[in-house]
Amino acid sequence: MTFKEFLALVKSDIDLKKHWFLKNDTPFNKNVRVWLEPGTIAVVVYRFGHWTNHVKVPILKQLLRLIYILGKSVVVLGFGIYIPSRFKMGKGLAIHNFSGIFIPPTTAGDNLFVFQNVTIGHLRGQGGRPPKIGNNVFLGAGAKILGDITIGNNVVVGANSLVMNDVPDGCTVVGVPARVVSKETTWIQEKLDGVGDHW
């Protein structure tokens, strides 16, 4: 990953957050305040850390990793958000609220929406493999995604739901344990149409 690619990913994250949460907000909130929100800072620090993994010059890499570790410490201790630099995420990561968010070193596609108290983790006895997340996935507040499972594309996980089984594309799941309540979830893609055409 080049530095230019790192900047492009950060831009995709900010554009997504503006379009989804701040589309009708004031110019100040869309262009200044958005950069000061804990969720945005956490995403930028994660993207920076992921980029430093690809730096080739050893001395420069160590210096950049030190900066990343300091930034990550602020994000974890100050905001309660844990996203490791080994997490592989496509473009468009939006964390709207903060606190109690845990994401392991797993993989996710484009456009992931995360609210407060979301946990993505592995289960003992499954080889430590965490869930894999598809494109256009919305994780409501308090959602728990656990185990060696796959969350498909265009999936909504309702608030406080516990997901321990695969979720097919286009589904909305709610409850403990989560159950499918809709197999025709299209509103995420519809709302995303037109976002990031310039990415």
Side-chain angles (χ1 to χ4, degrees):
M1 175 189 289
T2 65
F3 186 70
K4 184 177 180 180
E5 290 171 329
F6 155 67
L7 293 178
L9 287 171
V10 170
K11 185 177 187 305
S12 74
D13 301 329
I14 297 298
D15 286 348
L16 181 66
K17 191 165 188 176
K18 285 181 181 180
H19 180 84
W20 194 272
F21 299 110
L22 303 173
K23 188 173 183 178
N24 299 314
D25 217 323
T26 65
F28 175 82
N29 285 345
K30 287 193 289 187
N31 298 301
V32 178
R33 181 183 157 191
V34 66
W35 290 96
L36 304 177
E37 292 184 355
T40 303
I41 295 170
V43 169
V44 172
V45 169
Y46 150 67
R47 293 292 193 189
F48 178 80
H50 189 73
W51 167 68
T52 64
N53 291 335
H54 299 84
V55 174
K56 303 298 183 183
V57 182
I59 295 178
L60 177 60
K61 183 172 185 174
Q62 292 302 316
L63 176 61
L64 293 172
R65 290 298 292 178
L66 177 60
I67 295 172
Y68 163 67
I69 289 170
L70 292 174
K72 183 180 177 182
S73 298
V74 170
V75 168
V76 172
L77 298 176
F79 305 150
I81 302 173
Y82 176 83
I83 313 174
S85 63
R86 290 181 295 146
F87 173 49
K88 297 179 181 179
M89 170 74 210
K91 61 188 179 186
L93 173 59
I95 297 179
H96 185 48
N97 296 320
F98 66 98
S99 182
I101 295 172
F102 179 88
I103 299 175
T106 186
T107 59
D110 297 337
N111 306 319
L112 176 62
F113 302 89
V114 180
F115 282 72
Q116 69 270 23
N117 296 319
V118 164
T119 297
I120 303 172
H122 67 273
L123 292 175
R124 186 175 299 176
Q126 293 187 352
R129 292 183 296 271
K132 295 181 177 64
I133 312 294
N135 299 315
N136 308 333
V137 174
F138 187 99
L139 303 180
K144 305 294 184 286
I145 318 296
L146 304 176
D148 182 15
I149 62 175
T150 298
I151 306 299
N153 302 320
N154 300 303
V155 166
V156 173
V157 178
N160 298 314
S161 296
L162 173 62
V163 183
M164 300 178 66
N165 295 295
D166 292 347
V167 179
D169 293 351
C171 287
T172 296
V173 296
V174 298
V176 181
R179 66 189 186 282
V180 175
V181 296
S182 173
K183 295 183 179 180
E184 299 179 353
T185 301
T186 60
W187 61 269
I188 298 177
Q189 185 59 60
E190 291 169 359
K191 188 167 180 176
L192 285 170
D193 286 344
V195 182
D197 289 337
H198 53 285
W199 289 348

